[in-house]
Amino acid sequence: LEFLLGKQASYAALGLLQFVVLLALALTVFRAPARGDVTALVALAFLYAWALTGLGILVASFVGSQIQALLITMIVTMLPAWVFSGVFTPVTSMSGPAQAIAAAFPTTYFLDACVAVMTKGLGGGALAGDALALGAFALGFDLLALALLKEQAP
């Protein structure tokens, strides 16, 4: 457990740092408006980074090398996540099966929170559903990875 959390914490912190730097650039250099609660968005960015690092560790528990884990994660999760997350087409305008696929990826919930904060001026309670979903993904991926890593231990 300590190994898993220690490994994951460093990568999640790096992901959060990248988000904060990009958000600062968006707000200052590009003067993008943030109409909602930016602090809540940063907290959700941490949950999102934790969920994705958990997913990476989960995939790594199935393969033999870091390169294999990177490629499999990119092909199996990242590409569909971007297609179905609402970046190109709003999830609400997708068909039922496509919406079900979208619900299976943490990216969908984080992008929903980004839109809610940056353009709709929302925060706090309005983001609770996205926070719960991201927290569930983070916990679920960690528990699965922990179970699989224990099975591999000698």
Side-chain angles (χ1 to χ4, degrees):
L1 178 65
E2 295 84 13
F3 170 77
L4 176 70
L5 295 177
K7 184 101 170 155
Q8 190 172 5
S10 61
Y11 286 111
L14 182 61
L16 181 63
L17 176 65
Q18 290 173 343
F19 174 77
V20 169
V21 167
L22 290 174
L23 179 63
L25 285 171
L27 296 174
T28 57
V29 175
F30 298 110
R31 303 202 190 283
R35 296 183 170 96
D37 187 356
V38 174
T39 305
L41 183 61
V42 171
L44 287 174
F46 177 74
L47 283 176
Y48 178 61
W50 195 271
L52 290 186
T53 55
L55 176 60
I57 292 172
L58 177 62
V59 170
S61 69
F62 288 104
V63 298
S65 73
Q66 187 175 6
I67 297 297
Q68 287 175 327
L70 178 67
L71 291 174
I72 289 171
T73 303
M74 184 63 126
I75 293 167
V76 174
T77 63
M78 295 304 291
L79 293 175
W82 279 104
V83 170
F84 290 103
S85 66
V87 171
F88 305 111
T89 304
V91 174
T92 55
S93 69
M94 294 179 186
S95 67
Q99 286 184 7
I101 294 170
F105 292 101
T107 307
T108 302
Y109 302 96
F110 183 63
L111 287 178
D112 183 58
C114 288
V115 170
V117 169
M118 299 300 286
T119 63
K120 296 179 182 177
L122 301 177
L127 302 174
D130 294 324
L132 285 173
L134 290 170
F137 276 111
L139 182 62
F141 290 149
D142 279 356
L143 290 175
L144 284 171
L146 183 62
L148 292 170
L149 288 173
K150 277 187 176 181
E151 288 178 10
Q152 292 180 358

